[in-house]
Structure formats: structure tokens, C-alpha cells
């Protein structure tokens, strides 16, 4: 195909969206924000021990390369000239921690995923050094409680437990980063001059960063005993960090020399993609976890109701930093994946919606998916997952419905906290993320919140936000972020269909179930490290496939395992 035959669309912007479950590369038209093409590759999660969640950094990088190549091939098949891609943005799963060798470019250990719980003993040891064992001791400096969630304790665990990393630090070979840093370093040359940086949104999730001075905090680094020389340089969310040096093996065209000029943690990217630039605007993203962010402008607001204070974005070196209140839920889409992969109730994630729709109720069944403890607003690492309210009538459809309802109840808890902290209740909720394709879930969410839920027609707002930041960067300048220039977004709207009394009744029952999930796990594990059959991966209780087969058969039996009571029937 001759170059003159290719479709001319004006400047394009690519977006790397590296999430917990998958990597994607998407290409947008910078003038219209239209999504032109994308490719997605699922990422394997490893569970080597109870509570441990890891990923292979090399697999993540390989998946990104594959997504870029496949997307570019699709663009060429659409007769679109890929040399019009003028900038690349990066959004990423936050807190996930990688340490690598800058001389070889090799990771020194698997990435420890944000969901990982192995650092509970590290957290407890660090708490002993804090007056009153106050988890919120660093709150006004970092916006965060001391928790297994954040990168500093993961990095501390690596330094304490992986000899290869300790040696690399001593030799001056070690580099630390969240996934954005690992990708940007690798894509801009790696061991041959790769740029070691992060942006303010990702830095604000480490517990090593002062969200007011916008610098790594020497006192925090000293408290965690983290050597500052292994940390990446902190940059704004929209500036040229370096040039992408990968060359897809395509018949024509290449992406060598394209600036990587946008970087945002995935939830901040979604906030930008939803165009929540005004104080009080909020969005909820439904991915592996569920994250509700409310823009508080240039003022950092500190929660009295279990929320985090985080950096929303800084869209340029000379632009002001904006903050957000955040409610973080560990398990949202992950519960659907768990029903598919661990229980085998469904073969595809899409089947969960069909099962739930067939019954339209949980029939009094409540599911608290505290696979990694409870995050906001509880910050209770001792919690574990429970399914309660089961009867001989309960079947897999009701459990599927209860799983979707659990996502909505968790969001309700976060929204209640944000309304209390901000003082002005939200009158609608903007939503995005892969789970928003589930119409049963979206209607349930509106019913449980008692307010409308608004979903953009193009739900890829995380990738869009990273693309906007990249295209708007100084030296690129192909995407305007002025409010008058932003493209209007068409939306699908879900209105409440049940009365508030029913919603409140179901929510109260959910809160009762949450209380039952707490205090399950303790730090007193057996000395040989064997947490027994009652602590399987990743839920904290064992349900064998044969037990699932019991549901819907002929007579009642009762099975109790690790506090999970299943009333069911069997042949």
C-alpha cells in the first residue's frame, strides 16, 4: 500500500494502559478523542503462598510490546498511517512494586502486586515504632495510613527477604519503581540509557512521598530504611520523559522516537479521562478493584471517615497540583475472575451478568469479598471473604448476583464517606472501567446508591486520560485541555428503580455481613509457615469444586469450613 493511499486523520496519540488483569495499547484521534484501535493481552497473576500476589515484570513488558505491535497492525489494516502517532501516554496499576538491575535490565524479583498481604508482619513491626501504634501517623504528610497496600512496605519486605536485591543495592545496581517506572525505563532504552522516573500521582502511593512539597521525604525514607538513591525522579503527569525506542516488526512504519509524554496512575488517569477537573466532581472506576475519586482542587482534604488523600494530577511542570479524596476497594472485577477461575461457576466473565439477570435477586445471600482484607473505609487487614445467608434454595445464580451486589455495596460505603467529608452529597456518579459493560451491575449500583449512574459511551477513560496528558504536554501540544475545547461525551444513564427503603434494608444487611468478616485472620501463624487448609489462595477459605456441585441437587447438608457455612443439597 502506498503511503499516499493511507487515511489522513491528523495527529494520533497512543496510550499504554497496564492494569492488574491485562495490558492494552489504544490509539486515539487527538482532535476528536475517538478510539481508533486497540489490543489487549491478559496478564497472569501468581499466588505462591496464601495472601501473596505476584506478577512477572518481564511478562508485563512483553505484553505491552505485543499490544503495541498488534494495535499498529490493526491500524494499518484500517488504512491508517501509524507514523501519525505523535505521543504516548502511560497509565498503570498503582503501588505494585518492582526492583530491577540497571546494568542487566533484569528484574531482581517478581513484582509484588498492590493486593499482596505478605507485608502484614512488616506493618505490625513498623507500627511498634510509632507512638500509640497509630496507623494514621504519617497521614498529613502522605495522605495514607500505614497499610500493606502501599509500596514502601513492599519494598521494605524485598530488602529484608531477597538477598539478590540487598546485594544489588549495596553494589549500586538496584532501581525501584512502580509499574510506570519499569515500563518507561524499559521503553526508553532500558540498560542503554533508559529514563528512571515516575509522576506525582504514582509517587503519592508509595508512602515515601510528601504530597505538599512534591518530593521524596528523607524522614519517611529513613523510617522505612529505604535508600533514596534507588528511587526514580519525580516528574509532572504531562511532560516529555523520553523517546520510545521500540520498533515493532511491521512491514512499514515504526514507532521509534515517539515521545512518552503522559504518565498517570490508573485512577488519576480515569479522573482526567472523565474530565473531572472541577472541585467536587467524582468518578468511580470498576476494574480489578474499585476506586472512587473526588477532585478537591488545589486543596488537600484529609478524611475523617477512612478515605485517602492522594494527588489527582499535575498536568505540566509549571501547572498546579490538584488533589483528590479516594475510596479504595480491593476487590471488584477480581470477584468475577474468582468465580470463573477458582470456583468454575462460569467459563467467561460475561456469564456472571447472565446468571445474575436470570434471578434478579440474591435471595438473602450476601458476599463480602475481603480476599485481601478490607480497604476503605475500614482498613482492616484481618478480614477475610465470607458468603452468608445461604439456604437450601441458594444456587450459583444467587451467588453471582450477590457478587455483583457486593461491588455496589462497597461503592456505597465509599460514597457515604465522601459525602460526609465533602459535606455536599453527590447527585450522580460518573463511572468507567471494564465492569461498566455489565448492565445488571450498573442498574444495581444506581438502586443501591439511590442516585443516577452515568456511564460514558466510550468507557476507556483510563487510557483516554493518559492520552490527554501525553497529547497536551509541552513540546507535543496536539491535545487541548481547555474546558471549551474538550469534546462532549455521550452517556448512558441508569436511574434508581427500587424504593429507598428497600435499598437501605439491603445495605444494612450487607453491613452486618461485613462485621462478620472482620477479625478472621491473625498474625499468629504456625511456626512452620503452614497456614493450613483453612487459608487457601486467594480468599482465605477453601471451597472445593465438589462443594460447588452440591448447589442445586436433592437434599440438605451443612458444610462449615473456616467459618464459612454452606447450606446446600447433594445427591
Amino acid at each position: 500500500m502506498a503511503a499516499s493511499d493511507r487515511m489522513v486523520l491528523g495527529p494520533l496519540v497512543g496510550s499504554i494502559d497496564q492494569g492488574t488483569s491485562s495490558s492494552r495499547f489504544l490509539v486515539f484521534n487527538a482532535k476528536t478523542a475517538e478510539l481508533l484501535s486497540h489490543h489487549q493481552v491478559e496478564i497472569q497473576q501468581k499466588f505462591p503462598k496464601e495472601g501473596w500476589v505476584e506478577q512477572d515484570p518481564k511478562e508485563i513488558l512483553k505484553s505491552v510490546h505485543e499490544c503495541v505491535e498488534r494495535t499498529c497492525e490493526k491500524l494499518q489494516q484500517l488504512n491508517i498511517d501509524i507514523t501519525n502517532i505523535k505521543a504516548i501516554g502511560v497509565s498503570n496499576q498503582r503501588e505494585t512494586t518492582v526492583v530491577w538491575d540497571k546494568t542487566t535490565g533484569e528484574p531482581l524479583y517478581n513484582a509484588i502486586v498492590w493486593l499482596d498481604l505478605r507485608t502484614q508482619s512488616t506493618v505490625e513491626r513498623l507500627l511498634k515504632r510509632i507512638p500509640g501504634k497509630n496507623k494514621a501517623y504519617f497521614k498529613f504528610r502522605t495522605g495514607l495510613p500505614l497499610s500493606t497496600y502501599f509500596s514502601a512496605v513492599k519494598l521494605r519486605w524485598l530488602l529484608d527477604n531477597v538477598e539478590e536485591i540487598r546485594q544489588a543495592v549495596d553494589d549500586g545496581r538496584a532501581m525501584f519503581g512502580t509499574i510506570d517506572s519499569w515500563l518507561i525505563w524499559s521503553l526508553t532504552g532500558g540498560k542503554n540509557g533508559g529514563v528512571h522516573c515516575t509522576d506525582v500521582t504514582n509517587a503519592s502511593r508509595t508512602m515515601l512521598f510528601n504530597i505538599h512539597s512534591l518530593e521524596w521525604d528523607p524522614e519517611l525514607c529513613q523510617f522505612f530504611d529505604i535508600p533514596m538513591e534507588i528511587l526514580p525522579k519525580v516528574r509532572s503527569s504531562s511532560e516529555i520523559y523520553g523517546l520510545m525506542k521500540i520498533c515493532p516488526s511491521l512491514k512499514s512504519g515504526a514507532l521509534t522516537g515517539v515521545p512518552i509524554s503522559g504518565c498517570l496512575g490508573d485512577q488519576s488517569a480515569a479522573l482526567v479521562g472523565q474530565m473531572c477537573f472541577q472541585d467536587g466532581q467524582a468518578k468511580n472506576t470498576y476494574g480489578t478493584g474499585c476506586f472512587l475519586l473526588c477532585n478537591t482542587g488545589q486543596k488537600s482534604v484529609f478524611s475523617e471517615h477512612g478515605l485517602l488523600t492522594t494527588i489527582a494530577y499535575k498536568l505540566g511542570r509549571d501547572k498546579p497540583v490538584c488533589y483528590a479524596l479516594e475510596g479504595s476497594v480491593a476487590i471488584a472485577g477480581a470477584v468475577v475472575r474468582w468465580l470463573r477461575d477458582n470456583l468454575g461457576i462460569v467459563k467467561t466473565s460475561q456469564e456472571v451478568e447472565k446468571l445474575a439477570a436470570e434471578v434478579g435477586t440474591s435471595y438473602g445471600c450476601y458476599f463480602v469479598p475481603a480476599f485481601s482484607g478490607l480497604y476503605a473505609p475500614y482498613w482492616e487487614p484481618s478480614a477475610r471473604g465470607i458468603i452468608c445467608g445461604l439456604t437450601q434454595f441458594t444456587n450459583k445464580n444467587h451467588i453471582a448476583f450477590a457478587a455483583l451486589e457486593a461491588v455496589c455495596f462497597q461503592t456505597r460505603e465509599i460514597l457515604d464517606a465522601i459525602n460526609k467529608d465533602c459535606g455536599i452529597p453527590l447527585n450522580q456518579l460518573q463511572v468507567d472501567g471494564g465492569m461498566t459493560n455489565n448492565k445488571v451491575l450498573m442498574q444495581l449500583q444506581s438502586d443501591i446508591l439511590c442516585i443516577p449512574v452515568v456511564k460514558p459511551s466510550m468507557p476507556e477513560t483510563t487510557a483516554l486520560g493518559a492520552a490527554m496528558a501525553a497529547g497536551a504536554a509541552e513540546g507535543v501540544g496536539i491535545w487541548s485541555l481547555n474546558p471549551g475545547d474538550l469534546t462532549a461525551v455521550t452517556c448512558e444513564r441508569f436511574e434508581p428503580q427500587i424504593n429507598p427503603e428497600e435499598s437501605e434494608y439491603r445495605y444494612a444487611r450487607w453491613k452486618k455481613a461485613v462485621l462478620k468478616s472482620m477479625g478472621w485472620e491473625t498474625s499468629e501463624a504456625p511456626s512452620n509457615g503452614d497456614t493450613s487448609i483453612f487459608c487457601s489462595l486467594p480468599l482465605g477459605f477453601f471451597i472445593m469444586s465438589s462443594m460447588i456441585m452440591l448447589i442445586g441437587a436433592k437434599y440438605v447438608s451443612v458444610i462449615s469450613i473456616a467459618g464459612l457455612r454452606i447450606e446446600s443439597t447433594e445427591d
Side-chain angles (χ1 to χ4, degrees):
M1 181 185 299
S4 58
D5 295 331
R6 294 184 188 138
M7 192 182 301
V8 178
L9 294 171
L12 311 178
V13 179
S15 184
I16 295 167
D17 181 6
Q18 205 298 299
T20 315
S21 302
S22 67
S23 297
R24 295 182 298 169
F25 185 68
L26 307 91
V27 174
F28 296 90
N29 185 321
K31 297 301 182 186
T32 64
E34 178 190 1
L35 175 61
L36 299 176
S37 185
H38 73 283
H39 190 78
Q40 180 171 340
V41 173
E42 193 164 302
I43 299 295
Q44 182 183 0
Q45 294 182 36
K46 305 175 186 222
F47 307 103
K49 294 184 182 180
E50 193 276 325
W52 292 31
V53 189
E54 298 179 357
Q55 290 177 326
D56 180 353
K58 292 175 73 174
E59 181 192 351
I60 290 173
L61 180 60
K62 181 181 177 183
S63 71
V64 169
H65 281 290
E66 181 180 344
C67 287
V68 172
E69 290 208 23
R70 297 291 84 79
T71 301
C72 289
E73 287 174 355
K74 291 176 182 179
L75 288 172
Q76 289 185 328
Q77 290 166 8
L78 292 170
N79 200 19
I80 296 172
D81 188 351
I82 66 167
T83 61
N84 282 334
I85 298 176
K86 303 302 181 185
I88 305 286
V90 175
S91 73
N92 59 286
Q93 52 171 309
R94 303 169 302 170
E95 299 92 21
T96 298
T97 298
V98 187
V99 180
W100 66 94
D101 188 322
K102 66 183 178 183
T103 61
T104 66
E106 293 292 313
L108 295 167
Y109 193 81
N110 275 339
I112 300 183
V113 176
W114 56 277
L115 286 164
D116 188 280
L117 285 176
R118 78 186 68 188
T119 54
Q120 184 54 38
S121 59
T122 305
V123 169
E124 291 171 3
R125 175 166 52 84
L126 290 168
L127 273 174
K128 292 176 182 177
R129 297 170 48 197
I130 294 176
K133 295 185 177 180
N134 180 11
K135 289 182 181 178
Y137 187 73
F138 298 117
K139 173 180 172 179
F140 293 103
R141 200 181 303 194
T142 66
L144 313 173
L146 186 59
S147 164
T148 59
Y149 184 16
F150 306 109
S151 306
V153 292
K154 302 180 194 299
L155 181 53
R156 182 66 260 153
W157 187 93
L158 288 167
L159 291 166
D160 288 338
N161 291 278
V162 182
E163 175 60 34
E164 193 174 359
I165 288 179
R166 282 198 298 269
Q167 189 61 54
V169 171
D170 291 343
D171 295 345
R173 295 181 285 110
M175 284 183 164
F176 153 78
T178 42
I179 294 297
D180 58 306
S181 297
W182 164 243
L183 290 178
I184 292 173
W185 183 82
S186 300
L187 295 173
T188 57
K191 63 183 179 180
N192 300 313
V195 177
H196 188 210
C197 69
T198 189
D199 90 302
V200 290
T201 67
N202 282 292
S204 74
R205 312 298 293 191
T206 61
M207 282 207 86
L208 300 173
F209 188 69
N210 187 310
I211 62 173
H212 309 292
S213 69
L214 305 184
E215 295 176 338
W216 298 120
D217 191 302
E219 292 182 15
L220 288 168
C221 291
Q222 185 176 15
F223 174 80
F224 288 102
D225 195 17
I226 302 295
M228 295 186 72
E229 59 269 19
I230 72 172
L231 304 178
K233 183 178 179 181
V234 182
R235 313 275 285 271
S236 77
S237 308
S238 178
E239 61 179 273
I240 295 175
Y241 313 112
L243 301 181
M244 198 166 175
K245 295 185 178 179
I246 61 171
C247 281
S249 54
L250 300 171
K251 294 178 181 178
S252 60
L255 290 179
T256 306
V258 178
I260 298 178
S261 52
C263 179
L264 292 149
D266 51 9
Q267 304 314 317
S268 289
L271 194 74
V272 172
Q274 287 268 29
M275 302 175 198
C276 295
F277 294 125
Q278 303 299 317
D279 294 12
Q281 288 186 312
K283 67 87 204 171
N284 198 32
T285 298
Y286 300 77
T288 297
C290 199
F291 303 88
L292 205 166
L293 269 67
C294 180
N295 192 331
T296 63
Q298 296 179 42
K299 179 183 179 183
S300 52
V301 176
F302 292 91
S303 174
E304 298 297 325
H305 301 94
L307 304 179
L308 309 176
T309 304
T310 197
I311 293 180
Y313 49 79
K314 187 179 189 296
L315 296 174
R317 284 177 291 186
D318 301 323
K319 298 294 176 64
V321 65
C322 288
Y323 297 90
L325 276 174
E326 175 176 333
S328 310
V329 169
I331 302 297
V335 74
V336 174
R337 189 167 176 168
W338 184 81
L339 291 174
R340 183 194 72 185
D341 296 347
N342 291 41
L343 296 194
I345 285 178
V346 294
K347 292 182 179 178
T348 68
S349 299
Q350 291 72 28
E351 288 178 49
V352 172
E353 179 180 10
K354 182 174 180 288
L355 290 180
E358 286 174 358
V359 287
T361 176
S362 70
Y363 201 77
C365 171
Y366 289 86
F367 190 163
V368 183
F371 298 175
S372 297
L374 290 169
Y375 283 14
Y378 302 101
W379 299 106
E380 184 50 70
S382 71
R384 287 296 180 272
I386 65 167
I387 303 174
C388 57
L390 296 160
T391 72
Q392 69 270 25
F393 184 73
T394 307
N395 60 36
K396 64 182 181 180
N397 297 65
H398 301 117
I399 291 175
F401 191 97
L404 297 183
E405 203 171 32
V407 175
C408 301
F409 285 133
Q410 290 178 105
T411 298
R412 167 73 187 269
E413 291 184 304
I414 299 304
L415 192 69
D416 284 355
I418 281 181
N419 286 341
K420 290 172 185 175
D421 281 323
C422 293
I424 305 173
L426 289 177
N427 56 19
Q428 67 176 31
L429 181 65
Q430 293 176 229
V431 300
D432 58 76
M435 288 191 84
T436 61
N437 292 321
N438 186 322
K439 293 183 183 296
V440 171
L441 176 70
M442 292 295 95
Q443 185 57 56
L444 265 175
Q445 188 66 88
S446 179
D447 290 345
I448 288 165
L449 297 180
C450 301
I451 60 174
V453 166
V454 180
K455 172 196 167 185
S457 56
M458 198 284 292
E460 304 294 350
T461 53
T462 299
L464 177 61
M468 291 166 66
E474 183 180 353
V476 179
I478 58 174
W479 203 311
S480 172
L481 298 183
N482 294 325
D485 296 332
L486 295 174
T487 305
V489 178
T490 56
C491 295
E492 185 176 4
R493 191 177 177 91
F494 296 84
E495 300 280 353
Q497 293 183 355
I498 65 173
N499 62 56
E501 291 77 16
E502 182 183 346
S503 177
E504 290 302 319
Y505 173 78
R506 285 155 63 177
Y507 184 45
R509 299 268 285 182
W510 155 263
K511 300 280 274 189
K512 184 178 178 181
V514 169
L515 290 175
K516 292 181 182 295
S517 78
M518 292 185 184
W520 183 259
E521 192 58 58
T522 67
S523 58
E524 288 84 27
S527 58
N528 65 357
D530 179 13
T531 51
S532 86
I533 192 172
F534 301 129
C535 289
S536 71
L537 285 171
L539 182 58
F541 55 72
F542 229 57
I543 307 178
M544 296 193 177
S545 58
S546 58
M547 297 175 190
I548 298 307
M549 292 170 65
L550 297 173
I551 297 174
K554 294 183 181 174
Y555 85 89
V556 178
S557 68
V558 177
I559 304 166
S560 267
I561 292 188
L564 174 65
R565 179 181 173 88
I566 300 179
E567 292 188 10
S568 187
T569 58
E570 62 182 68
D571 289 323

